[in-house]
């Protein structure tokens, strides 16, 4: 028994009757206990975007496919299909372009940095334009990500009338399709971008033999030399970009079944009278991620042709099977169900109903489930080993002058792209990020030496694939030397999630150490108090330059703290560690409450309570950092809450996504869900891409990470189950989320309380797990063999010993569910029923009451709940009178309290006429 008198282990017998109706399940045998959600591991339901008309706009309605290096957008026009495609290394600028300088000063500026620091010390706040004049310079051949081309498939004859049209993207299989009927013939198309084979594949079929005719052609932009030829059913596109001479090549093989083929002198290929046609497309350049030349020295035509040859030798079925198996090996690791139900609407209409408030709660949940998984799909599609990382638009781009060059902004955007990678079990997608950051180090060392006279390396606000680690001259977005330190957080996190000690020794620690040396060299004492500060520092992307802006200090604290922890982990106790420890001890931590209760954005108390800027940079310590813990530092957490409320719920798409994560870290699941709703309503396009506006993919990734953060947190050394679950998701399940410490977690819940938890340990040691089920009656058993596991309990936390490869199952003995109307009217009473089910043993008697929003009342105030025997259920009812409120959705919680234990259930109701 625990000190409270509650058994640490409770035998769980079979589940029957009301427990089964409540959604609780029991494995058929103890050996099956590690398979929460196993029945859902077949084809993922509801994981399809679909439309009843073709795309008319690349940005908002085309459907994206990708294999990391290649991207393609499908339009689906019956008469003339457009497949707009990209290859991620096709970039203007960089070496090869005259005068490219990596962003380093083109002539020495002795004393420039000291001059800026001196003025900041004297004046506290300095105009960004003046600083940019002293420290910045115009970009020279920074370049931009380029579209590779378009594949056009013109149908012959042109469909006269079309019926039964459907265009879709199955994100569980990463396969897009088009189907329609014309002239009594059903025509179908299928598309995918294969990572195993490095090609884009398109398949055209008809259900009547010999009725398929089409002409395939390829076009590309005018800012390059180009040559297009066709021979043997293969279209060859070759050329070089203007300005930098980057060579590119594409090969498209047209394979037909039945009918005839003709190669055109214009580089097109025509097929007539066929049963089916398959297209195989590969593309590449002579780019290499190697400083300073960034060229392979190998013509791209050869490797591209080899990929097409190899794919052609396998056939369509084998290519598709390999692609689907590869994609599902990643995608299927995580399942999420929060009670969504297919509304039978095209995705754009479902989004419209969500936006207008006419979607049913089940349809809203279905869209939220799809949106979460869509972010995982996009990350798989735009970040695979051997390619560059996902940029501002992932891998997709249709413009020679894309927004922000479709580059790598590193004052949050690139980092946000990878927030969901570890938590949602896609650790492999981080490989391109680490390769890219590693490739920046040689260039960044030059910048650190020339601009700062410092050791280590640095990169500023934005960068490209060509080692641009220096500065440009946009006053509010050119200076951000903290970017490298923020990127290094991903290295340390990768180690924490995977436990990969070789990665720590060979890749993470060297990066952390080098960046720590840079900051040891460039931090300066603050004349105000002697603490070490970043100067000049600038809080993105607003205000004046100052010394010790909160975000700057928090990022550097995070880097130095991680470097110190990494040093201990690898056993480095040398001179560097002493230097690091001394610097960290003198560092200004960047956490201060201000005059109106806010967390200060600057060291001075300059915050304006009416400021609603999209960046909330000074909350970095809350997320993605771990310096500010809501449970361990209530004062600063409250100050962060004040700042976040003042900043408001508006902003661009990525800003709303960040706020989902902020509110989740503040353990306010209802507000986190509100931000998810706001992002879907106002910052999501018809194809579910995030819009800044314009399209910017980090919002998709940030929102997916935010949902994971609502369901599982582990940044404070505790595995926290459902820490910010919204009442709107009162029942559900998730499988496959990852926690730091190399643990995979499945959770089933009812009434907002975990009822069954599965922990799969990748390493041996002690785990501390927090969840509301541990405040009640529960058991923990090994999945294999069913042996009971001893745990030490402290409130709602347990600690248990785990072995590498072991699976551990925690189950609740109490299941509670609320039954409330979906919509209520202020002032009009409604019935609220609470059902308590005993699972695996008797639930002792206790008192049952409701925790209601302010101003609401319940009659009676409390029920005396008799003991409930195993397998039985007991229900009680309250009459609740609601009041109005600032927002329409409200949380109701039922609490059953016994002798040393509690159990609870939550649900949400909407008040009519509120909001």
């Amino acid at each position: 028994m625990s000190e409270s008198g509650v058994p640490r282990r409770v035998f769980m017998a079979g589940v029957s009757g009301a427990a089964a109706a409540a959604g609780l399940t029991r494995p058929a045998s103890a050996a099956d206990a590690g398979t929460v959600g196993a029945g859902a591991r077949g084809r993922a339901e509801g994981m399809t975007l679909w439309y009843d008309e073709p795309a008319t706009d690349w940005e908002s309605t085309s459907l994206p496919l990708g294999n990391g290096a290649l991207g393609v957008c499908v339009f689906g026009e019956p008469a003339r299909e457009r497949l707009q495609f990209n290859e991620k290394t096709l970039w203007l600028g960089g070496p090869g372009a005259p005068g490219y300088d990596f962003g380093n000063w083109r002539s020495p500026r002795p004393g420039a940095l000291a001059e800026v620091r001196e003025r900041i010390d004297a004046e506290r706040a300095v105009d960004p334009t003046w600083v940019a004049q002293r420290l910045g310079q115009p970009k020279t051949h920074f370049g931009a990500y380029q579209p590779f081309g378009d594949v056009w498939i013109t149908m012959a004859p042109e469909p006269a009338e079309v019926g039964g049209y459907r265009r879709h993207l199955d994100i569980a299989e990463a396969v897009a399709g088009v189907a329609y009927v014309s002239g009594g013939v059903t025509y179908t198309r299928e598309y995918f971008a294969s990572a195993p084979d490095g090609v884009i594949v398109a398949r055209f079929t008809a259900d009547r033999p010999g009725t398929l005719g089409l002409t395939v052609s390829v076009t590309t932009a005018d800012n390059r030399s180009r040559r297009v030829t066709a021979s043997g059913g293969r279209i060859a596109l070759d050329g070089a970009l203007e300005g930098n001479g980057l060579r590119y090549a594409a090969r498209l093989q047209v394979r037909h079944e039945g009918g005839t083929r003709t190669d055109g002198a214009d580089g097109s290929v025509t097929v007539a009278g066929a049963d089916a046609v398959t297209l195989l497309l590969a593309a590449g350049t002579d780019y290499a991620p190697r400083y300073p030349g960034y060229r392979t020295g190998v013509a791209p035509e050869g490797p591209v042709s080899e990929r097409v040859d190899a794919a052609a030798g396998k056939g369509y079925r084998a290519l598709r099977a390999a692609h689907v198996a590869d994609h599902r090996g990643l995608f299927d690791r995580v399942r999420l169900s929060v009670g969504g139900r297919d509304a039978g609407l095209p995705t754009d209409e479902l989004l419209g109903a969500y936006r207008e408030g006419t979607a049913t709660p089940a349809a809203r949940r279905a869209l939220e489930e799809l949106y979460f998984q869509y972010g995982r799909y996009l990350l798989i599609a735009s970040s695979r080993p051997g390619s560059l990382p996902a940029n501002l638009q992932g891998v997709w781009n249709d413009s020679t002058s894309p927004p922000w060059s479709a580059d790598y902004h590193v004052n949050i955007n690139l980092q946000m792209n990878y927030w969901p990678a570890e938590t949602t079990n896609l650790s492999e997608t981080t490989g391109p990020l680490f390769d890219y950051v590693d490739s920046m180090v040689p260039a960044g060392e030059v910048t650190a030496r020339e601009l700062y006279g410092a050791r280590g390396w640095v990169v500023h606000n934005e960068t490209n694939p060509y080692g641009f680690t220096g500065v440009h001259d946009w006053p509010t977005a050119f200076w951000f030397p903290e970017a490298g330190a923020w990127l290094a957080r991903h290295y340390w996190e990768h180690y924490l999630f995977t436990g990969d000690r070789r990665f720590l020794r060979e890749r993470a620690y060297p990066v952390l150490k080098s960046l720590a040396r840079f900051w040891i060299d460039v931090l300066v004492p603050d004349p105000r108090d002697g603490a070490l500060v970043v100067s000049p520092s600038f809080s993105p992307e607003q205000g004046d330059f100052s010394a010790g802006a909160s975000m700057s200090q928090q990022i550097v604290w995070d880097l130095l703290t991680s470097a110190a922890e990494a040093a201990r982990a690898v056993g480095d106790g040398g001179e560097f560690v002493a230097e690091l420890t001394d610097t960290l001890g003198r560092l200004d931590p960047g956490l201060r409450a201000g005059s109106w209760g806010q967390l200060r954005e600057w060291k001075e108390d300059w915050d304006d309570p009416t400021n609603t800027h999209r960046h909330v940079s000074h909350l970095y310590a809350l997320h993605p950092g771990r310096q500010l813990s809501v449970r361990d530092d209530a004062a600063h957490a409250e100050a962060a809450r004040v700042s976040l409320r003042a900043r408001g719920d508006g902003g661009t798409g990525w800003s709303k996504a960040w706020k989902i994560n902020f509110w989740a870290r503040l353990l306010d699941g209802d507000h986190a869900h509100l931000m998810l709703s706001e992002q879907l309503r106002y910052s999501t396009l018809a194809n579910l891409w995030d819009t800044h506006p314009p399209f910017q993919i980090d919002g998709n990734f940030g929102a997916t990470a935010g949902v994971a953060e609502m369901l599982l947190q582990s940044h404070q050394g505790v595995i926290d189950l459902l820490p910010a679950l919204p009442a709107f998701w009162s029942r559900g399940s998730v499988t496959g989320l990852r926690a730091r410490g190399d643990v995979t977690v499945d959770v089933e819940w009812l009434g907002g309380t975990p009822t069954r938890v599965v922990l799969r340990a990748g390493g041996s040691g002690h785990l501390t797990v927090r969840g509301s089920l541990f405040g009640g009656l529960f058991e923990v058993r090994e999945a294999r063999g069913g042996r009971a596991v001893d745990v030490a309990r402290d409130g709602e936390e347990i600690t248990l010993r785990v072995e590498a490869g072991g699976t551990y199952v925690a189950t609740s003995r109490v299941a509670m569910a609320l039954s409330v109307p979906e919509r209520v009217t202020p002032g009009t009473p409604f019935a609220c029923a609470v059902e308590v089910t005993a699972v695996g043993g008797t639930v002792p008697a206790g008192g049952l009451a409701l925790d209601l929003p302010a101003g609401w009342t319940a009659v009676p105030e409390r029920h005396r709940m008799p003991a409930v025997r195993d397998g039985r259920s007991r229900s009680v009812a309250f009459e609740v009178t609601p009041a109005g409120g600032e927002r329409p959705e409200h949380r109701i919680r039922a609490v059953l309290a016994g002798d040393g234990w509690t159990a609870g259930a939550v649900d949400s109701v909407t008040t009519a006429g509120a909001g």
Side-chain angles (χ1 to χ4, degrees), residues 82-154:
R82 178 190 177 193
L83 304 178
Q84 187 276 318
F85 71 100
N86 298 92
E87 199 281 334
K88 206 183 287 172
T89 64
L90 192 70
W91 259 79
L92 290 170
Y100 181 67
D101 52 25
F102 300 91
N104 298 326
W105 290 333
R106 290 185 279 275
S107 59
R109 302 188 189 184
L113 192 58
E115 179 189 9
V116 173
R117 285 172 172 163
E118 288 169 3
R119 182 168 174 182
I120 287 172
D121 286 346
E123 300 178 12
R124 300 288 186 259
V126 177
D127 177 61
T129 301
W130 180 86
V131 178
Q133 290 170 350
R134 295 301 187 276
L135 301 181
Q137 66 183 15
K139 291 179 181 177
T140 301
H141 296 292
F142 179 85
Y145 182 43
Q146 296 296 290
F148 212 104
D150 292 274
V151 177
W152 301 93
I153 303 98
T154 304

Side-chain angles (χ1 to χ4, degrees), residues 36-267:
V36 168
R41 290 183 182 172
R43 184 176 180 85
E45 298 299 328
M47 292 295 102
T48 299
L49 289 70
W50 71 276
Y51 306 82
D52 57 9
E53 59 187 6
T56 56
D57 175 68
W58 175 86
E59 181 182 43
S60 62
T61 57
S62 70
L63 294 177
L65 297 162
N67 69 1
L70 291 170
V72 61
C73 288
V74 176
F75 284 71
E77 177 63 44
R80 193 179 191 220
E81 175 66 281
R82 178 190 177 193
L83 304 178
Q84 187 276 318
F85 71 100
N86 298 92
E87 199 281 334
K88 206 183 287 172
T89 64
L90 192 70
W91 259 79
L92 290 170
Y100 181 67
D101 52 25
F102 300 91
N104 298 326
W105 290 333
R106 290 185 279 275
S107 59
R109 302 188 189 184
L113 192 58
E115 179 189 9
V116 173
R117 285 172 172 163
E118 288 169 3
R119 182 168 174 182
I120 287 172
D121 286 346
E123 300 178 12
R124 300 288 186 259
V126 177
D127 177 61
T129 301
W130 180 86
V131 178
Q133 290 170 350
R134 295 301 187 276
L135 301 181
Q137 66 183 15
K139 291 179 181 177
T140 301
H141 296 292
F142 179 85
Y145 182 43
Q146 296 296 290
F148 212 104
D150 292 274
V151 177
W152 301 93
I153 303 98
T154 304
M155 308 307 294
E158 180 178 328
E161 294 183 0
V162 171
Y165 182 90
R166 178 183 170 100
R167 179 172 57 101
H168 74 272
L169 170 61
D170 181 342
I171 63 173
E173 293 197 341
V175 174
V178 175
Y180 60 90
V181 178
S182 180
V185 179
T186 299
Y187 295 91
T188 58
R189 305 171 186 174
E190 197 165 58
Y191 312 94
F192 57 88
S194 168
D197 291 288
V199 292
I200 294 168
V201 182
R203 172 85 165 171
F204 293 74
T205 59
D207 69 351
R208 186 181 301 169
T211 57
L212 192 61
L214 51 82
T215 296
V216 183
S217 60
V218 179
T219 61
T220 192
D222 293 333
N223 63 349
R224 63 201 67 173
S225 66
R226 59 191 179 277
R227 181 173 179 265
V228 184
T229 60
S231 176
R234 179 170 297 189
I235 300 173
L237 168 65
D238 302 298
L241 294 181
E242 295 174 357
N244 68 359
L246 185 76
R247 296 176 62 179
Y248 69 90
R251 296 292 183 269
L252 193 160
Q253 183 69 50
V254 181
R255 297 174 61 86
H256 62 103
E257 299 168 30
T260 61
R261 188 201 75 235
T262 303
D263 299 330
D266 61 353

Side-chain angles (χ1 to χ4, degrees), residues 64-72 86-88 174 192-201 281-283 307 323 326-327 330 377-388 395-396 432:
L65 297 162
N67 69 1
L70 291 170
V72 61
N86 298 92
E87 199 281 334
K88 206 183 287 172
F192 57 88
S194 168
D197 291 288
V199 292
I200 294 168
V201 182
L281 173 65
R307 289 206 301 276
H323 159 73
D326 170 73
H327 175 77
L330 295 168
Y377 163 83
L378 292 172
L379 185 55
I380 295 168
S382 57
S383 188
R384 302 297 293 273
S387 69
L388 287 168
V395 67
W396 302 279

Side-chain angles (χ1 to χ4, degrees), residues 37 143 440 522:
M440 280 197 289
V522 302

Side-chain angles (χ1 to χ4, degrees), residues 440-719:
M440 280 197 289
V441 172
E445 289 175 336
V446 175
T447 302
R449 186 167 59 249
E450 293 186 359
L451 271 65
Y452 296 87
R455 299 172 296 171
W457 68 279
V458 68
V459 60
H460 287 82
N461 191 78
E462 57 199 77
T463 184
N464 61 16
Y466 300 124
F468 189 96
T469 52
V471 295
H472 56 92
D473 62 348
W474 189 260
T476 59
F478 86 101
W479 191 263
F480 195 68
E482 301 91 338
W486 191 341
L487 289 166
R489 154 159 281 279
H490 288 265
Y491 285 77
W492 181 237
E493 290 276 65
H494 184 74
Y495 165 69
L496 293 178
F497 275 95
T498 65
D500 187 339
R501 296 192 63 82
R502 180 176 179 182
F503 177 86
L504 174 65
R505 290 192 309 270
E506 297 180 2
R507 301 194 69 177
Y509 187 53
V511 166
L512 290 162
K513 189 172 184 178
S514 179
L515 286 161
R517 280 179 166 148
F518 171 82
W519 284 106
I520 288 168
D521 287 353
V522 302
L523 291 167
V524 295
D526 189 338
R528 289 170 288 187
D529 58 12
L532 293 178
V533 292
V534 179
S535 181
S537 70
F538 188 78
S539 192
E541 296 176 0
Q542 59 162 336
D544 290 323
F545 273 80
S546 67
S550 297
M551 186 189 214
S552 301
Q553 300 303 130
Q554 292 166 15
I555 291 176
V556 174
W557 181 94
D558 197 56
L559 168 73
L560 300 184
T561 301
S562 297
E565 292 172 356
R568 287 193 292 272
V570 301
D572 184 351
E575 181 180 338
F576 163 72
V577 174
E579 194 177 20
L580 174 64
T581 303
D582 175 68
T583 302
L584 191 54
R586 296 189 291 136
L587 181 71
D588 186 311
L591 290 177
R592 288 178 177 80
S595 57
W596 45 277
Q598 86 284 10
L599 195 69
R600 293 190 199 174
E601 186 161 358
W602 297 272
K603 191 166 183 176
E604 301 284 350
D605 199 347
W606 293 335
D607 301 76
D608 179 354
T610 66
N611 178 12
T612 58
H613 196 274
R614 64 191 179 279
H615 281 265
V616 198
S617 305
H618 52 306
L619 303 193
Y620 176 95
L622 178 65
H623 182 277
R626 39 60 185 270
Q627 183 181 4
L628 197 168
S629 166
V630 67
R631 287 190 168 95
D632 298 334
D633 189 353
H636 283 130
E638 179 57 29
R641 190 184 303 271
V642 170
S643 288
L644 200 52
R645 288 194 180 280
R647 201 55 62 92
D649 295 336
T652 57
W654 67 262
S655 176
K656 293 187 181 81
W658 199 2
K659 291 172 184 176
I660 299 171
N661 290 271
F662 283 143
W663 285 111
R665 285 281 176 94
L666 288 170
L667 310 183
D668 190 336
D670 293 333
H671 207 133
H673 182 262
L674 172 67
M675 294 313 309
L676 175 65
S677 300
E678 291 293 296
Q679 187 167 358
L680 281 165
R681 287 189 175 102
Y682 304 115
S683 300
T684 300
L685 300 168
N687 60 3
L688 301 190
W689 267 348
D690 171 76
T691 180
H692 184 278
F695 161 50
Q696 195 171 295
I697 203 167
D698 43 21
N700 288 102
F701 297 139
T704 292
V707 170
E709 205 74 21
M710 294 156 74
L711 301 173
L712 184 72
Q713 295 178 19
S714 60
H715 57 288
Q716 294 295 330
V718 175
I719 297 175

